[in-house]
Amino acid sequence: MEAFLVSTGLVALAEMGDKTQLLSLVLAARFRRPWPIVWGIFVATLANHALAGALGSAVTAWLGPEALRWVLGLSFLAMAVWMLIPDRLDEDDQAAAPRLGVFGTTVVAFFLAEMGDKTQIATVMLAAQYTGWLWVVAGTTLGMMLANAPVVWFGDRITRRVPLRAVHLVSALIFAVLGVLALLGGR
């Protein structure tokens, strides 16, 4: 349960202001069909994070406990720094023409945008830290949905009221605490 709750909270916070959240806003503004977009985000996130979770789980088998502790600790500290750098949506990341329909376009665009993203890397790290990688994937997927579905439905109203800088600072602090705890050998 800890893996699920920590994963949900960390990814929901890390996703605030992230490029995939901005992509959600762009898709909602462009297609104005929230349900296929939300389902597309869910499918893309589940697939992407399942791969990331499997990778994170495999890392624990490759590294010994001492090396894993250092890799995780330093990775969490790096994520804390990365959280302080706000994302922006590049022109290349915008949705392609809807040849695949709204759902298909969302799945492809979101899956690709999530590759190498903060939340995907966080999923790898969390799956390496917790033995129940399925709970990590479930948590990170829920965290993504908590951060992105409201953006699809409420878009501009939310982005004007949420102080993204404060969310980034809180996320950075949480990642830093996890990094220090990992380096000290605690879970």
Side-chain angles (χ1 to χ4, degrees):
M1 190 53 111
E2 179 184 350
F4 175 76
L5 294 174
V6 168
S7 298
T8 300
L10 272 179
V11 167
L13 283 171
E15 183 64 8
M16 296 297 167
D18 192 71
K19 71 179 175 181
T20 47
Q21 190 178 49
L22 297 173
L23 178 60
S24 298
L25 185 61
V26 168
L27 291 167
R30 183 168 183 180
F31 297 124
R32 301 201 185 281
R33 297 201 37 222
W35 283 108
I37 294 168
V38 169
W39 280 110
I41 291 169
F42 175 74
V43 168
T45 300
L46 189 58
N48 194 293
H49 287 201
L51 292 172
L55 176 64
S57 184
V59 165
T60 61
W62 297 331
L63 297 175
E66 188 65 21
L68 181 63
R69 180 173 66 86
W70 282 97
V71 168
L72 284 174
L74 295 174
S75 295
F76 279 123
L77 291 174
M79 282 295 291
V81 172
W82 194 5
M83 287 304 306
L84 298 174
I85 303 168
D87 281 336
R88 62 177 172 71
L89 186 64
D90 297 324
E91 291 297 317
D92 300 357
D93 292 336
Q94 289 190 15
R99 290 184 308 206
L100 303 173
V102 175
F103 173 78
T105 299
T106 302
V107 169
V108 170
F110 212 85
F111 184 87
L112 293 175
E114 187 63 11
M115 296 301 288
D117 197 48
K118 289 176 211 160
T119 51
Q120 184 192 41
I121 294 169
T123 302
V124 171
M125 293 180 341
L126 289 163
Q129 181 175 6
Y130 293 104
T131 56
W133 75 271
L134 286 175
W135 286 109
V136 169
V137 172
T140 59
T141 301
L142 177 60
M144 290 290 284
M145 297 311 295
L146 289 172
N148 288 298
V151 169
V152 173
W153 284 309
F154 303 113
D156 287 328
R157 288 179 279 181
I158 292 173
T159 57
R160 277 186 258 138
R161 294 182 183 188
V162 175
L164 292 179
R165 185 69 182 151
V167 172
H168 284 184
L169 289 171
V170 168
S171 299
L173 179 64
I174 292 170
F175 275 113
V177 167
L178 286 173
V180 169
L181 287 175
L183 289 173
L184 295 175
R187 276 193 181 230

Short mmCIF file of all heavy atoms in Angstrom, two decimals, residues 53 90 141 164 172 174:
data_model
loop_
_atom_site.label_atom_id
_atom_site.label_comp_id
_atom_site.label_asym_id
_atom_site.label_seq_id
_atom_site.Cartn_x
_atom_site.Cartn_y
_atom_site.Cartn_z
N GLY A 53 7.96 0.40 -15.04
CA GLY A 53 7.94 -0.37 -13.80
C GLY A 53 8.68 -1.69 -13.94
O GLY A 53 9.41 -2.11 -13.03
N ASP A 90 6.94 21.78 -26.54
CA ASP A 90 7.61 22.11 -27.79
C ASP A 90 6.64 21.96 -28.94
O ASP A 90 5.70 21.19 -28.87
CB ASP A 90 8.81 21.18 -28.02
CG ASP A 90 9.87 21.33 -26.95
OD1 ASP A 90 10.07 22.46 -26.47
OD2 ASP A 90 10.49 20.31 -26.62
N THR A 141 0.07 5.55 -12.47
CA THR A 141 -1.00 5.76 -13.45
C THR A 141 -2.12 6.58 -12.84
O THR A 141 -2.62 7.53 -13.47
CB THR A 141 -1.53 4.40 -13.98
OG1 THR A 141 -0.44 3.68 -14.58
CG2 THR A 141 -2.64 4.60 -14.99
N LEU A 164 1.91 26.79 -9.89
CA LEU A 164 2.78 25.70 -10.33
C LEU A 164 4.15 25.74 -9.68
O LEU A 164 4.75 24.71 -9.40
CB LEU A 164 2.91 25.70 -11.86
CG LEU A 164 1.64 25.35 -12.62
CD1 LEU A 164 1.89 25.41 -14.11
CD2 LEU A 164 1.13 23.98 -12.21
N ALA A 172 9.87 18.83 -5.42
CA ALA A 172 11.32 18.77 -5.28
C ALA A 172 11.70 18.39 -3.86
O ALA A 172 12.61 17.57 -3.64
CB ALA A 172 11.95 20.10 -5.67
N ILE A 174 9.92 16.64 -1.69
CA ILE A 174 9.59 15.23 -1.46
C ILE A 174 10.65 14.32 -2.09
O ILE A 174 11.12 13.37 -1.47
CB ILE A 174 8.18 14.90 -1.99
CG1 ILE A 174 7.14 15.61 -1.12
CG2 ILE A 174 7.93 13.39 -1.99
CD1 ILE A 174 5.73 15.57 -1.68
#
